[in-house]
Amino acid sequence: MSAPDIDTQVLVVGAGPVGLMLAGELALGGADVVVLERRTGPLTESRASTLHARTMELLDQRGLLEELGTPPAGGPGHFGGTRLDLTTDSPYSGQWKVPQVRTEELLEGWATRLGARVVKGHRLTDLRTAPHTVEATAEAEPGPGGAASALRVRAAYVVGCDGESSTVRELAGFAFPGRDATRELLRADVADVQVPDRRFERHPGGLAISARGPGGVTRVMVHEYGAPVGREPGPPSFARVADTWRRVTGDDIGGGAPLWLNSFGDALRQASQYRRGRILLAGDAAHHQMPVGGQALNLGLQDAANLGWKLAAEVRGTAGPGLLDSYHAERHPAGRRVLDNIAAQALLLLGGSGTEQVRSLFGELLREPRVRAHLAGTIAGVDVRYAAEPGAHRLVGARVPYLRFGTGADTAEGPGSTFAALRPGRGVLVDLGGRPTPVLAAVAPWRDGRVDVVTATPEPGGAATEFTSALLRPDGHVAWADGTVPELEAALRRWFGPAARR
């Protein structure tokens, strides 16, 4: 067999936000990574544009917020169209508006600076697995002579980040159970129209949403109760959007200039497995859901943060048994939980007059502080807690609390915070000065580039500390806290592989 055109450790298919986030995480972890993308250039329209608190934390943990700048706040949140205060215990409470094209630009720049290679203008057409490799074939756009050229890539692993119609998922034979859409929202960005802003405005015949954005462009979204889901290929026509808008609201937008059209329904599907041998799925390739409140994008970025460091350790040969399988074990339940809450939101949002009593009762429940906090944590992604051993500290499995360090902290980048300590992409043992020497001695065999040690004191007047010593995974979740030395050593072996020989 002839040599492939590209040889790499990991091939990521899809250069959307999820694929680029994963590529950066892999490269930060020391893996050689290539990203394959069928588009030849950036997006020309803004798709998902809402970043939630947990995603902002992940960007902070990689040092990307300074480059991003302070994005505009996204206003109040909602659950199924009912206003929801998204205040959480995160320093990035609320929601933040970043156009998808900017998110992709940020993540692609970061990933390529770390060494990832992005190959655009190629469409995946074939995957062939062997005992130790996967070979992918992709076709380039036809050249001047009219003939398409093929590109062959050989990799140890392939990850499909290629969206809800994933070619990787189809070629690799992943089961994708669930249901098709029965309701849909039509969406259009329209110039040269004057309509009032509407926030989940319910009419006898349907739901209308409109907001005037930068540059005088108005985004409209409309759902007509009882209307069949459109079956035409591609996006809906502007005539269909305008006619539906007129029937629901009585307003005429037909004289406007459509800039972008699409629709999305309440389909709900999730891959039965996120990994099949050397092929894995992340983002919308692994789960298809209605993009309510930006949760789909954020869920996918959090998939990438969970998978990246694990797969990098696998290809470097430092992963312990079962580390890569923990990706499915952790992210499949997290995805299922989000899909369930999105399904509930779709019923509240797109249900007709028969849901009004439920909506009214739900509005009353949201005034209860515990209910509000629970739903806000779910949407923001800050309440994700991975499984822990019985009797473990209550933080184990949860994301690390944001804690600023006082002056004199012994960190790789000087005084900082629990988030800043994670920027090198390694594990971190944070010691706040109250643990005996054996805790610091126990981590020594892993201080070979896998785990850093930060000794610090909390910043005076800062938030109350919830631990004295904690072992953090590269994705910012707590692997061990204030337990025994044998428990710490077990956590180190589980998440960072065998101890180095002395």
Side-chain angles (χ1 to χ4, degrees):
M1 181 179 291
S2 60
D5 299 288
I6 297 176
D7 227 328
T8 188
Q9 291 176 314
V10 182
L11 173 64
V12 175
V13 181
V18 176
L20 293 169
M21 180 81 175
L22 178 60
E25 291 290 319
L26 287 162
L28 185 65
D32 184 64
V33 56
V34 170
V35 183
L36 194 67
E37 170 57 48
R38 67 184 303 170
R39 287 180 290 148
T40 57
L43 286 172
T44 57
E45 72 279 337
S46 177
R47 293 177 180 268
S49 61
T50 299
L51 300 183
H52 288 140
R54 181 56 185 152
T55 299
M56 293 288 284
E57 291 180 356
L58 292 172
L59 295 178
D60 188 356
Q61 290 168 14
R62 294 300 180 253
L64 293 171
L65 286 188
E66 184 175 342
E67 183 180 349
L68 179 64
T70 303
H78 73 93
F79 190 96
T82 299
R83 187 184 180 111
L84 175 65
D85 176 4
L86 292 177
T87 300
T88 66
D89 65 350
S90 171
Y92 305 107
S93 268
Q95 54 184 355
W96 307 87
K97 286 297 181 183
V98 182
Q100 184 171 327
V101 64
R102 176 65 184 120
T103 302
E104 290 186 7
E105 178 185 55
L106 174 76
L107 294 175
E108 183 172 351
W110 173 60
T112 54
R113 289 194 300 271
L114 291 169
R117 292 171 284 170
V118 181
V119 179
K120 296 186 177 180
H122 286 76
R123 177 175 58 88
L124 181 71
T125 57
D126 190 43
L127 284 176
R128 296 182 183 274
T129 59
H132 303 292
T133 59
V134 182
E135 187 169 290
T137 303
E139 287 187 0
E141 294 298 319
S149 59
L151 174 73
R152 289 174 50 238
V153 183
R154 183 171 59 201
Y157 290 89
V158 172
V159 186
C161 300
D162 50 343
E164 61 190 47
S165 300
S166 170
T167 302
V168 172
R169 187 183 66 230
E170 180 180 352
L171 290 174
F174 283 83
F176 200 47
R179 58 173 173 77
D180 293 331
T182 58
R183 304 178 180 92
E184 70 177 340
L185 268 170
L186 307 180
R187 177 165 58 177
D189 287 348
V190 188
D192 303 325
V193 294
Q194 296 290 332
V195 297
D197 282 0
R198 293 177 165 92
R199 180 175 170 83
F200 304 110
E201 190 174 276
R202 298 177 72 82
H203 294 259
L207 175 78
I209 305 163
S210 57
R212 194 172 181 84
V217 175
T218 298
R219 172 163 291 182
V220 299
M221 291 187 279
V222 61
H223 168 71
E224 186 173 14
Y225 300 142
V229 175
R231 300 301 180 190
E232 67 268 29
S237 67
F238 183 55
R240 182 180 170 216
V241 175
D243 288 346
T244 304
W245 183 264
R246 178 180 46 78
R247 287 195 299 272
V248 170
T249 69
D251 291 343
D252 184 6
I253 61 172
L259 305 178
W260 177 55
L261 298 153
N262 85 334
S263 64
F264 52 91
D266 61 347
L268 202 70
R269 293 186 178 277
Q270 185 179 28
S272 299
Q273 302 165 278
Y274 282 12
R275 177 191 179 194
R276 294 194 69 190
R278 294 185 173 273
I279 303 177
L280 302 100
L281 303 175
D284 285 351
H287 38 76
H288 179 195
Q289 59 286 304
M290 189 175 182
V292 175
Q295 284 182 267
L297 170 64
N298 290 268
L299 180 63
L301 291 172
Q302 291 156 33
D303 288 344
N306 183 285
L307 175 59
W309 65 279
K310 297 173 180 178
L311 186 50
E314 186 72 26
V315 299
R316 287 197 328 263
T318 61
L323 179 66
L324 191 53
D325 285 331
S326 73
Y327 168 62
H328 170 88
E330 292 183 337
R331 292 308 298 170
H332 193 275
R336 184 73 253 167
R337 186 164 179 255
V338 172
L339 264 62
D340 286 345
N341 94 52
I342 287 177
Q345 290 193 65
L347 288 173
L348 290 170
L349 187 63
L350 304 182
S353 59
T355 63
E356 291 305 321
Q357 293 87 350
V358 176
R359 291 175 59 81
S360 177
L361 176 61
F362 194 80
E364 292 180 22
L365 291 173
L366 282 183
R367 291 194 285 272
E368 293 292 327
R370 289 181 62 185
V371 174
R372 185 214 64 79
H374 174 79
L375 291 178
T378 299
I379 290 175
V382 299
D383 70 341
V384 173
R385 181 182 297 271
Y386 301 134
E389 295 294 326
H393 190 284
R394 65 181 185 82
L395 284 179
V396 175
R399 79 194 213 290
V400 62
Y402 179 75
L403 177 67
R404 288 193 59 81
F405 302 143
T407 57
D410 176 18
T411 72
E413 301 181 8
S417 66
T418 46
F419 288 5
L422 290 160
R423 288 177 185 170
R426 297 186 285 269
V428 182
L429 180 74
V430 177
D431 180 72
L432 300 180
R435 297 294 292 176
T437 303
V439 168
L440 299 182
V443 79
W446 286 269
R447 296 187 68 177
D448 56 358
R450 289 178 287 173
V451 178
D452 295 332
V453 171
V454 170
T455 57
T457 56
E459 182 180 56
T465 60
E466 300 181 57
F467 61 87
T468 303
S469 291
L471 177 66
L472 312 184
R473 304 178 350 175
D475 58 359
H477 282 259
V478 179
W480 169 92
D482 291 346
T484 66
V485 169
E487 290 169 343
L488 171 60
E489 292 172 335
L492 286 161
R493 287 190 296 270
R494 178 183 181 188
W495 299 113
F496 302 103
R501 294 182 179 179
R502 300 184 182 182

XYZ file of all heavy atoms in Angstrom, residues 134-221:
637
model
N -6.241 4.174 11.672
C -7.425 4.433 10.856
C -6.951 5.218 9.639
O -6.175 6.172 9.783
C -8.485 5.253 11.609
C -9.731 5.454 10.731
C -8.859 4.598 12.924
N -7.386 4.807 8.451
C -7.038 5.552 7.246
C -8.281 6.240 6.708
O -9.316 5.604 6.501
C -6.432 4.641 6.177
C -5.911 5.439 4.981
C -5.086 4.606 4.034
O -3.962 4.206 4.405
O -5.589 4.345 2.920
N -8.155 7.557 6.518
C -9.269 8.360 6.008
C -8.949 8.834 4.602
O -7.802 9.165 4.291
C -9.497 9.558 6.920
N -9.971 8.875 3.765
C -9.840 9.437 2.426
C -10.786 10.623 2.314
O -11.949 10.550 2.737
C -10.196 8.395 1.349
O -9.358 7.251 1.508
C -9.992 8.969 -0.044
N -10.266 11.716 1.766
C -11.071 12.918 1.593
C -10.887 13.443 0.181
O -9.798 13.341 -0.387
C -10.666 13.983 2.598
N -11.950 13.983 -0.369
C -11.891 14.565 -1.703
C -11.818 16.073 -1.600
O -12.571 16.698 -0.853
C -13.116 14.163 -2.521
C -13.113 12.717 -2.967
C -14.249 12.409 -3.921
O -15.034 13.335 -4.225
O -14.357 11.251 -4.371
N -10.906 16.652 -2.390
C -10.818 18.103 -2.478
C -11.835 18.604 -3.496
O -12.350 17.836 -4.319
C -9.412 18.528 -2.885
N -12.122 19.879 -3.407
C -12.987 20.484 -4.412
C -12.349 20.329 -5.787
O -11.119 20.372 -5.913
C -13.204 21.969 -4.093
C -13.980 22.215 -2.811
C -15.384 21.628 -2.878
O -16.027 21.746 -3.942
O -15.840 21.057 -1.876
N -13.146 20.145 -6.849
C -12.566 19.987 -8.190
C -11.662 21.153 -8.558
O -11.960 22.315 -8.246
C -13.803 19.929 -9.091
C -14.912 19.478 -8.195
C -14.612 20.058 -6.855
N -10.531 20.815 -9.182
C -9.592 21.830 -9.619
C -9.995 22.445 -10.941
O -11.081 22.181 -11.473
N -9.115 23.271 -11.508
C -9.441 23.954 -12.772
C -9.788 22.984 -13.894
O -10.588 23.293 -14.769
C -8.151 24.726 -13.094
C -7.488 24.906 -11.758
C -7.820 23.681 -10.962
N -9.194 21.777 -13.866
C -9.484 20.816 -14.920
C -10.772 20.058 -14.713
O -11.159 19.227 -15.546
N -11.431 20.276 -13.572
C -12.708 19.637 -13.309
C -12.621 18.349 -12.525
O -13.637 17.803 -12.125
N -11.406 17.812 -12.291
C -11.263 16.547 -11.574
C -10.964 16.799 -10.107
O -10.138 17.643 -9.761
C -10.139 15.717 -12.199
N -11.651 16.070 -9.221
C -11.401 16.186 -7.792
C -10.193 15.336 -7.426
O -9.991 14.253 -7.977
C -12.624 15.731 -7.001
N -9.380 15.829 -6.506
C -8.214 15.073 -6.059
C -8.503 14.483 -4.695
O -9.295 15.025 -3.918
C -6.978 15.978 -6.001
O -7.198 17.058 -5.109
N -7.872 13.357 -4.383
C -8.103 12.674 -3.117
C -6.913 12.878 -2.193
O -5.763 12.971 -2.624
C -8.331 11.188 -3.355
N -7.205 12.963 -0.897
C -6.191 13.092 0.139
C -6.336 11.913 1.082
O -7.451 11.592 1.513
C -6.398 14.404 0.909
C -5.507 14.653 2.119
C -4.083 14.986 1.670
C -6.065 15.793 2.971
N -5.232 11.239 1.414
C -5.269 10.116 2.341
C -4.543 10.497 3.613
O -3.424 11.012 3.578
C -4.619 8.878 1.716
C -5.453 8.260 0.601
C -4.733 7.127 -0.098
N -4.206 6.156 0.845
C -2.908 5.821 0.923
N -2.014 6.384 0.153
N -2.498 4.912 1.795
N -5.203 10.248 4.733
C -4.635 10.566 6.048
C -4.640 9.300 6.892
O -5.671 8.634 7.012
C -5.448 11.668 6.770
C -4.788 12.029 8.096
C -5.598 12.897 5.889
N -3.502 8.973 7.475
C -3.423 7.845 8.398
C -3.224 8.392 9.804
O -2.362 9.236 10.040
C -2.261 6.923 8.019
C -2.173 5.684 8.923
C -1.164 4.687 8.390
N 0.157 5.273 8.281
C 1.124 4.802 7.494
N 0.891 3.749 6.708
N 2.303 5.392 7.453
N -4.042 7.901 10.744
C -3.996 8.387 12.119
C -4.190 7.227 13.081
O -4.758 6.191 12.732
C -5.082 9.437 12.343
N -3.723 7.420 14.310
C -3.980 6.426 15.345
C -5.444 6.483 15.792
O -6.046 5.458 16.109
C -3.050 6.646 16.532
N -6.021 7.697 15.797
C -7.417 7.889 16.189
C -8.053 8.933 15.292
O -7.386 9.854 14.802
C -7.525 8.355 17.653
C -7.163 7.291 18.658
C -5.838 7.132 19.093
C -8.128 6.421 19.152
C -5.497 6.150 20.010
C -7.799 5.435 20.067
C -6.485 5.304 20.480
O -6.156 4.315 21.381
N -9.364 8.801 15.102
C -10.165 9.781 14.367
C -11.308 10.225 15.264
O -11.963 9.390 15.906
C -10.714 9.192 13.053
C -11.700 10.156 12.399
C -9.581 8.869 12.087
N -11.551 11.534 15.309
C -12.671 12.067 16.091
C -13.588 12.843 15.157
O -13.154 13.780 14.477
C -12.191 12.986 17.226
C -13.389 13.387 18.103
C -11.126 12.309 18.075
N -14.849 12.456 15.127
C -15.848 13.157 14.329
C -16.415 14.331 15.097
O -17.089 14.153 16.113
N -16.116 15.530 14.621
C -16.703 16.769 15.151
C -17.417 17.469 13.998
O -17.368 18.697 13.875
C -15.618 17.667 15.733
S -14.679 16.955 17.097
N -18.053 16.672 13.152
C -18.589 17.169 11.892
C -20.105 17.312 11.896
O -20.764 17.173 10.865
C -18.126 16.290 10.728
C -18.333 14.790 10.945
O -18.527 14.368 12.099
O -18.274 14.032 9.958
N -20.673 17.605 13.056
C -22.048 18.062 13.124
C -23.103 16.986 13.099
O -22.825 15.795 13.070
N -24.353 17.440 13.090
C -25.486 16.536 13.275
C -25.639 15.545 12.124
O -26.208 14.474 12.306
C -26.768 17.343 13.462
C -27.126 18.230 12.290
C -28.263 19.184 12.608
O -28.229 19.834 13.664
O -29.186 19.275 11.779
N -25.138 15.895 10.925
C -25.176 14.962 9.797
C -23.811 14.313 9.606
O -23.345 14.130 8.482
C -25.599 15.694 8.518
O -26.881 16.265 8.670
N -23.176 13.942 10.682
C -21.787 13.491 10.713
C -21.488 12.360 9.738
O -22.096 11.292 9.785
C -21.437 13.035 12.131
O -20.192 12.375 12.167
N -20.507 12.612 8.858
C -20.026 11.565 7.959
C -19.233 10.523 8.740
O -19.309 9.322 8.440
C -19.159 12.180 6.851
O -19.927 13.153 6.143
C -18.675 11.117 5.877
N -18.458 10.961 9.733
C -17.688 10.018 10.558
C -18.642 9.039 11.240
O -18.423 7.822 11.220
C -16.838 10.766 11.600
C -16.194 9.778 12.577
C -15.763 11.599 10.918
N -19.704 9.553 11.823
C -20.663 8.690 12.519
C -21.274 7.673 11.565
O -21.415 6.492 11.898
C -21.751 9.558 13.148
C -22.717 8.809 14.049
C -23.804 9.721 14.580
N -24.676 10.199 13.522
C -25.003 11.475 13.318
N -24.518 12.415 14.100
N -25.806 11.816 12.324
N -21.615 8.122 10.370
C -22.231 7.229 9.399
C -21.242 6.175 8.903
O -21.557 4.977 8.863
C -22.762 8.040 8.221
C -23.433 7.193 7.152
C -23.955 8.022 5.995
O -23.928 9.264 6.092
O -24.367 7.420 4.994
N -20.039 6.608 8.519
C -19.061 5.670 7.978
C -18.615 4.648 9.015
O -18.326 3.494 8.685
C -17.846 6.425 7.436
C -18.058 7.254 6.175
C -16.804 8.056 5.846
C -18.446 6.371 4.994
N -18.534 5.063 10.275
C -18.062 4.171 11.333
C -19.173 3.307 11.917
O -18.903 2.428 12.747
C -17.400 4.983 12.443
N -20.421 3.535 11.528
C -21.518 2.677 11.955
C -22.000 2.895 13.370
O -22.507 1.967 14.011
N -21.893 4.116 13.887
C -22.423 4.408 15.219
C -23.950 4.389 15.189
O -24.567 4.984 14.295
C -21.976 5.800 15.689
C -20.558 5.896 16.162
C -19.518 6.050 15.265
C -20.258 5.843 17.517
C -18.209 6.153 15.684
C -18.949 5.949 17.959
C -17.920 6.097 17.040
N -24.564 3.754 16.154
C -26.014 3.841 16.319
C -26.377 5.233 16.821
O -25.683 5.784 17.681
C -26.500 2.782 17.297
N -27.479 5.789 16.298
C -27.863 7.168 16.643
C -29.361 7.215 16.917
O -30.137 7.823 16.184
C -27.477 8.085 15.480
C -27.364 9.544 15.832
C -26.669 9.968 16.954
C -27.937 10.499 15.001
C -26.552 11.314 17.252
C -27.825 11.848 15.287
C -27.126 12.261 16.422
N -29.784 6.553 17.995
C -31.229 6.452 18.256
C -31.825 7.774 18.731
O -31.137 8.657 19.231
C -31.295 5.396 19.356
C -29.980 5.505 20.063
C -28.981 5.854 19.007
N -33.131 7.870 18.571
C -33.856 9.055 19.006
C -35.059 9.271 18.119
O -35.624 8.327 17.574
N -35.441 10.533 17.955
C -36.632 10.836 17.152
C -36.381 12.041 16.264
O -35.556 12.913 16.571
C -37.840 11.110 18.048
C -37.652 12.257 19.024
C -38.951 12.572 19.750
N -38.782 13.552 20.819
C -38.660 14.868 20.620
N -38.664 15.353 19.397
N -38.524 15.691 21.646
N -37.109 12.097 15.158
C -37.022 13.219 14.235
C -37.871 14.380 14.746
O -38.702 14.236 15.655
C -37.493 12.803 12.841
C -36.558 11.794 12.188
O -35.348 11.826 12.505
O -37.045 10.979 11.380
N -37.685 15.517 14.123
C -38.403 16.722 14.538
C -39.884 16.629 14.200
O -40.267 16.127 13.143
C -37.800 17.944 13.863
N -40.703 17.119 15.105
C -42.137 17.261 14.854
C -42.571 18.731 14.876
O -43.672 19.062 14.474
C -42.955 16.494 15.909
O -42.623 16.990 17.221
C -42.644 15.005 15.849
N -41.695 19.601 15.359
C -41.943 21.049 15.377
C -40.653 21.739 14.940
O -39.571 21.206 15.146
C -42.329 21.545 16.774
C -43.519 20.853 17.407
C -43.745 21.429 18.799
N -44.869 20.822 19.496
C -44.768 19.778 20.308
N -43.582 19.211 20.516
N -45.832 19.281 20.922
N -40.773 22.947 14.380
C -39.559 23.657 13.984
C -39.740 25.165 14.123
O -40.860 25.690 14.094
C -39.150 23.307 12.563
C -40.060 23.852 11.498
C -39.576 23.545 10.091
O -38.373 23.250 9.913
O -40.399 23.616 9.156
N -38.625 25.838 14.285
C -38.547 27.292 14.256
C -37.885 27.697 12.945
O -36.832 27.159 12.586
C -37.706 27.813 15.427
C -38.422 28.183 16.724
C -37.397 28.437 17.821
C -39.283 29.424 16.538
N -38.470 28.639 12.244
C -37.852 29.227 11.066
C -37.063 30.454 11.505
O -37.524 31.224 12.365
C -38.918 29.635 10.048
C -39.928 28.557 9.633
C -40.920 29.128 8.619
C -39.207 27.346 9.052
N -35.897 30.648 10.905
C -35.023 31.741 11.344
C -34.483 32.475 10.122
O -34.115 31.854 9.125
C -33.886 31.178 12.194
C -32.866 32.202 12.652
C -31.991 31.670 13.776
N -31.267 30.464 13.416
C -30.386 29.860 14.229
N -30.157 30.346 15.438
N -29.772 28.762 13.849
N -34.385 33.799 10.242
C -33.828 34.602 9.156
C -33.173 35.849 9.715
O -33.681 36.449 10.680
C -34.923 34.995 8.159
N -32.047 36.225 9.133
C -31.441 37.533 9.355
C -31.851 38.410 8.188
O -31.580 38.076 7.019
C -29.923 37.431 9.439
C -29.448 36.809 10.740
O -30.268 36.662 11.663
O -28.254 36.472 10.839
N -32.508 39.546 8.502
C -33.139 40.360 7.458
C -32.707 41.809 7.600
O -32.765 42.379 8.701
C -34.681 40.260 7.539
C -35.319 40.940 6.331
C -35.135 38.804 7.626
N -32.271 42.398 6.506
C -31.966 43.825 6.482
C -33.162 44.596 5.930
O -34.030 44.042 5.250
C -30.729 44.078 5.619
N -33.187 45.880 6.263
C -34.191 46.802 5.703
C -35.614 46.448 6.117
O -36.556 46.513 5.314
C -34.101 46.829 4.168
C -32.713 47.206 3.670
O -32.062 48.032 4.342
O -32.281 46.659 2.643
N -35.770 46.042 7.393
C -37.120 45.858 7.933
C -37.215 46.596 9.267
O -36.211 46.793 9.965
C -37.480 44.367 8.145
C -37.569 43.647 6.815
C -36.508 43.682 9.079
N -38.417 47.007 9.583
C -38.682 47.670 10.854
C -39.760 46.876 11.580
O -40.940 46.965 11.244
C -39.136 49.120 10.622
C -38.099 50.022 9.980
C -36.942 50.318 10.923
O -37.113 50.314 12.143
N -35.764 50.571 10.361
N -39.363 46.069 12.552
C -40.318 45.336 13.377
C -39.928 45.525 14.831
O -38.737 45.695 15.143
C -40.359 43.829 13.021
C -40.832 43.618 11.597
C -39.003 43.180 13.220
N -40.889 45.515 15.740
C -40.543 45.663 17.153
C -39.795 44.442 17.672
O -39.964 43.326 17.165
C -41.912 45.809 17.832
C -42.877 45.145 16.889
C -42.343 45.382 15.514
N -38.935 44.669 18.664
C -38.277 43.541 19.315
C -39.321 42.703 20.038
O -40.226 43.231 20.700
C -37.230 44.033 20.321
C -35.945 44.481 19.638
O -35.863 44.405 18.395
O -35.018 44.919 20.343
N -39.191 41.404 19.902
C -40.111 40.484 20.560
C -39.296 39.416 21.278
O -38.407 38.818 20.683
C -41.039 39.803 19.538
C -42.034 40.720 18.850
C -42.830 39.952 17.821
N -44.005 40.666 17.375
C -44.041 41.463 16.316
N -42.928 41.642 15.612
N -45.150 42.069 15.968
N -39.606 39.150 22.520
C -38.913 38.117 23.283
C -39.911 37.010 23.598
O -40.747 37.146 24.493
C -38.301 38.679 24.564
C -37.563 37.630 25.388
C -36.862 38.253 26.586
N -36.369 37.239 27.500
C -35.220 36.580 27.354
N -34.434 36.841 26.326
N -34.856 35.666 28.239
N -39.873 35.939 22.854
C -40.759 34.786 23.053
C -42.214 35.240 23.162
O -42.927 34.919 24.094
C -40.345 34.001 24.294
C -38.916 33.546 24.264
C -37.973 34.113 25.108
C -38.503 32.571 23.383
C -36.650 33.705 25.082
C -37.181 32.165 23.340
C -36.252 32.727 24.184
N -42.636 35.989 22.166
C -43.988 36.557 22.153
C -44.956 35.519 21.606
O -44.839 35.079 20.466
C -43.992 37.814 21.285
C -45.263 38.633 21.384
C -45.115 39.930 20.613
O -44.563 40.896 21.164
O -45.516 39.961 19.431
N -45.913 35.147 22.440
C -46.868 34.104 22.069
C -48.133 34.743 21.495
O -48.705 35.665 22.076
C -47.197 33.226 23.274
C -45.959 32.493 23.795
C -46.271 31.684 25.048
N -47.076 30.508 24.750
C -46.575 29.361 24.289
N -45.275 29.242 24.050
N -47.367 28.329 24.066
N -48.534 34.249 20.341
C -49.730 34.700 19.645
C -50.691 33.514 19.529
O -50.281 32.359 19.733
C -49.368 35.220 18.251
C -48.538 36.457 18.266
N -49.047 37.714 18.045
C -47.208 36.625 18.487
C -48.077 38.598 18.113
N -46.951 37.967 18.377
N -51.926 33.745 19.200
C -52.859 32.620 19.060
C -52.375 31.565 18.075
O -52.653 30.372 18.246
C -54.150 33.296 18.584
C -54.070 34.686 19.131
C -52.620 35.054 19.076
N -51.658 31.995 17.036
C -51.250 31.035 16.026
C -49.819 30.559 16.115
O -49.410 29.684 15.339
N -49.030 31.126 17.048
C -47.644 30.682 17.102
C -46.776 31.553 17.972
O -47.256 32.403 18.737
N -45.468 31.357 17.846
C -44.456 32.026 18.655
C -43.606 32.907 17.752
O -43.202 32.481 16.657
C -43.565 30.976 19.330
C -42.365 31.489 20.120
C -42.807 32.019 21.467
C -41.338 30.367 20.308
N -43.300 34.123 18.202
C -42.482 35.048 17.418
C -41.374 35.627 18.283
O -41.589 35.987 19.445
C -43.340 36.171 16.847
N -40.182 35.725 17.705
C -39.016 36.295 18.366
C -38.334 37.199 17.355
O -38.141 36.809 16.192
C -38.021 35.192 18.815
C -38.721 34.159 19.701
C -36.823 35.790 19.542
C -37.945 32.859 19.846
N -37.965 38.402 17.760
C -37.223 39.284 16.863
C -36.332 40.199 17.682
O -36.673 40.598 18.789
C -38.172 40.104 15.983
O -39.071 40.857 16.774
N -35.180 40.517 17.121
C -34.233 41.411 17.791
C -33.368 42.074 16.733
O -32.855 41.403 15.834
C -33.372 40.647 18.786
N -33.233 43.375 16.849
C -32.391 44.133 15.928
C -30.959 44.085 16.433
O -30.685 44.405 17.595
C -32.885 45.572 15.831
C -32.290 46.360 14.663
C -33.010 47.695 14.552
N -32.512 48.508 13.444
C -32.910 48.390 12.194
N -33.805 47.475 11.883
N -32.422 49.176 11.244
N -30.043 43.675 15.572
C -28.657 43.522 15.966
C -27.766 44.587 15.366
O -28.243 45.577 14.774
N -26.439 44.401 15.505
C -25.482 45.369 14.953
C -25.658 45.520 13.446
O -25.987 44.575 12.739
C -24.125 44.730 15.281
C -24.397 43.785 16.409
C -25.794 43.290 16.193
N -25.467 46.727 12.977
C -25.566 46.972 11.544
C -26.986 47.064 11.031
O -27.205 47.084 9.809
N -27.953 47.095 11.927
C -29.338 47.238 11.500
C -29.979 45.975 10.987
O -31.066 46.021 10.402
N -29.334 44.827 11.191
C -29.901 43.549 10.754
C -30.818 43.009 11.848
O -30.465 43.000 13.031
C -28.788 42.533 10.441
C -29.387 41.172 10.102
C -27.929 43.037 9.284
N -31.996 42.558 11.463
C -32.958 42.009 12.413
C -33.016 40.496 12.262
O -33.178 39.993 11.143
C -34.359 42.606 12.180
O -34.304 44.014 12.393
C -35.370 41.997 13.138
N -32.874 39.818 13.370
C -33.057 38.360 13.354
C -34.485 38.053 13.781
O -34.932 38.507 14.844
C -32.065 37.664 14.285
C -32.343 36.164 14.450
C -31.163 35.412 15.017
N -30.072 35.357 14.038
C -28.917 34.718 14.237
N -28.705 34.088 15.379
N -27.988 34.712 13.311
N -35.178 37.291 12.955
C -36.542 36.877 13.287
C -36.568 35.359 13.388
O -35.872 34.657 12.649
C -37.570 37.366 12.240
C -37.585 38.881 12.159
C -37.314 36.757 10.869
N -37.358 34.858 14.323
C -37.622 33.429 14.458
C -39.113 33.259 14.680
O -39.719 34.018 15.453
C -36.817 32.835 15.617
C -35.323 32.785 15.363
S -34.387 31.907 16.654
C -34.264 33.217 17.881
